Amino acid sequence: MATEEKNVKKKQLRLQPKKDKKPKEKRAKSTRRRLIPIWLRILLVLVLSAAALALGLMIGYGIIGDGDPLDALSWSTWQHIINIVTGETE
């Protein structure tokens, strides 16, 4: 009989909500301050992409193509390439 009473008490203890524990303290949400703002990140990506494009053009035209690297950035070179592609003659 004593073991049955112990089992019943254990079941009752399991079913009771535990109120002895203190509720966890909620941390105040802190706002995260970004070191580099999003608009500056976008601007950096655009500038670095343009620089990589220009560098790639200069390497491709100057080193691989045996031309002057600065000619890859001149408008007359691109106009000549456009004329070749479209089939226009001067």
Side-chain angles (χ1 to χ4, degrees), residues 31-68:
T31 57
R32 183 173 176 240
R33 180 138 174 109
R34 299 181 194 277
L35 293 177
I36 302 174
I38 292 176
W39 64 269
L40 186 59
R41 290 181 193 188
I42 293 171
L43 185 66
L44 281 174
V45 166
L46 292 175
V47 168
L48 291 176
S49 296
L53 177 67
L55 186 65
L57 286 172
M58 291 173 70
I59 289 172
Y61 191 80
I63 296 173
I64 297 174
D66 293 331
D68 184 27

Side-chain angles (χ1 to χ4, degrees), residues 7-8 12 14-15 18 22 24 30-32 37-38 59 61 63-64 67-68 70 82 84 86:
N7 289 337
V8 170
Q12 288 175 351
R14 274 189 250 149
L15 296 176
K18 297 181 180 179
K22 294 180 183 176
K24 293 182 181 177
S30 62
T31 57
R32 183 173 176 240
I38 292 176
I59 289 172
Y61 191 80
I63 296 173
I64 297 174
D68 184 27
L70 292 177
I82 291 170
I84 291 172
T86 58

